[in-house]
Amino acid sequence: MPGTTGRTSAPVLGGAVTVAGPSGYCIDGKAGHQTDRTAVAVLGRCSGSGTAKPALITVTVGGPGSASVLESGAPALSAYFTSAAGRAALARDGRASSVAVRSVAVADGALVLDLTDRAVGRIWRALIGLNGRAVTIAVSAPRGASLDAKAGRALLDRSIASMRAANRGSAP
């Protein structure tokens, strides 16, 4: 995503969705990727932002209509993400045995997962719909750092709020 490094927000997919991080977090344009249907943006602490906790925020935007997966409801999504197939989909290495799902909850309309991935440690993920697209937001500590449970969840909540604010008026 050339031209986005250091920015706190940027439109992706021809403006279908705007990726936005919470205060103190900026887009790393070299780490993101976009196709004609999907996008992945990576955000980290902005340079000179001493108050933001070291963290990695990844925003994945699905294809048109992908938000329809949310229509299956929280119980079905929870059952999927705690199943072997769901854990494999969440795992960085694609192996269900690499992920332990600590909890699945619904918070302010977002499906929120607290999990541990053997490859990267603890991760907080949220699944929301924006402009008809499924959007996944993941928060984790960068390599060599730690992020306690309270701080990780708070950063996820702030990331959800930032994405919704940047896309205000969009349909779920």
Side-chain angles (χ1 to χ4, degrees):
M1 298 177 16
T4 59
T5 296
R7 293 176 53 188
T8 58
S9 67
V12 295
L13 302 168
V17 172
T18 297
V19 171
S23 178
Y25 294 88
C26 292
I27 298 169
D28 179 345
K30 294 179 183 176
H33 177 73
Q34 228 179 142
T35 69
D36 61 336
R37 296 182 46 83
T38 63
V40 176
V42 178
L43 296 91
R45 190 166 62 166
C46 299
S47 62
S49 178
T51 59
K53 294 205 179 280
L56 180 67
I57 302 169
T58 306
V59 177
T60 305
V61 181
S66 58
S68 65
V69 71
L70 298 169
E71 294 171 7
S72 60
L77 290 168
S78 179
Y80 171 71
F81 284 120
T82 56
S83 73
R87 289 190 329 274
L90 292 168
R92 294 275 169 100
D93 65 7
R95 295 185 192 145
S97 61
S98 295
V99 169
V101 178
R102 295 168 173 258
S103 68
V104 181
V106 175
D108 194 24
L111 185 75
V112 176
L113 295 97
D114 178 357
L115 58 103
T116 302
D117 186 312
R118 190 178 310 158
V120 294
R122 195 159 188 184
I123 302 172
W124 294 266
R125 285 194 178 187
L127 178 61
I128 61 174
L130 294 172
N131 292 338
R133 294 172 185 259
V135 176
T136 303
I137 304 164
V139 171
S140 62
R143 191 170 290 168
S146 63
L147 193 60
D148 68 55
K150 186 176 178 181
R153 176 57 194 269
L155 184 54
L156 179 66
D157 291 343
R158 289 183 19 237
S159 298
I160 294 167
S162 295
M163 286 295 296
R164 285 182 171 156
N167 292 279
R168 200 167 311 286
S170 68

